[in-house]
Amino acid sequence: MIARVQDGTLLAARVLLAAALLPTGIARALNVSGFALTLAGSGMPAPNGVATAAVVVQVFGPLALILGVLPRLTGLALAAFAAVTAFVLHPFWHFVGPAAVAERTLMLADLGLAGGFLIYALMGPGAWSWQGWRAGVPAPAPSAKATAGKASAKGNAARGGGKRPTGRAPARAAA
């Protein structure tokens, strides 16, 4: 039960983190040249290359995040992207008054996202992800019948019935 809650929470966290980048990434993908012009206006070197790289990260990164594909690489790449974005796009030290407060707030929000992506890189995506699916479905909990069989085997061993040989359990016919 607790594992399901944890996996569900990790899925919700992945979706919420992706929601912070994916809409902007899609909007920028629909107008890469406009985004490149904005970057050029701010003095960014090689604005076309930077705009293309940013769109790739902002679209495919959140999709990989939601699906749980390559969590360490995805988490670290998105954390680096969010941290660089924070300092490049929100230099609050160049502003005064309310504009400085707004830019500082946006910078701290981007740094908070970077922290969330780092936690994802360390924790992993959980069982409800591509990685969890590839690792296999966890074994179901033992049933009452299997538990009773183990208890009787332990009782036989205690009465001098001996230990079972290690290795594969013998196949039994279905009752």
Side-chain angles (χ1 to χ4, degrees):
M1 171 87 170
I2 292 177
R4 284 186 178 196
V5 171
Q6 182 178 359
D7 291 331
T9 303
L10 287 171
L11 175 63
R14 291 192 332 256
V15 169
L16 291 172
L17 282 170
L21 294 181
L22 190 58
T24 305
I26 292 171
R28 288 179 177 168
L30 295 174
N31 187 11
V32 177
S33 59
F35 179 47
L37 285 174
T38 302
L39 291 175
S42 67
M44 176 70 65
N48 289 331
V50 172
T52 303
V55 166
V56 167
V57 169
Q58 277 189 299
V59 172
F60 293 108
L63 293 176
L65 179 72
I66 291 169
L67 295 174
V69 176
L70 299 170
R72 286 196 176 120
L73 178 66
T74 302
L76 292 174
L78 289 174
F81 176 79
V84 168
T85 301
F87 287 103
V88 171
L89 295 183
H90 304 295
F92 68 91
W93 51 91
H94 292 288
F95 297 92
V96 179
V101 172
E103 289 297 320
R104 185 179 64 230
T105 301
L106 291 170
M107 183 180 121
L108 291 174
D110 282 348
L111 290 176
L113 279 174
F117 294 133
L118 287 175
I119 290 172
Y120 168 71
L122 293 175
M123 288 291 299
W128 295 354
S129 66
W130 176 260
Q131 180 179 328
W133 176 77
R134 288 200 57 206
V137 179
S143 65
K145 194 175 194 180
T147 312
K150 286 182 185 177
S152 66
K154 284 182 183 177
N156 287 340
R159 287 187 296 253
K163 284 190 169 182
R164 235 186 195 178
T166 58
R168 210 171 150 190
R172 297 180 190 216

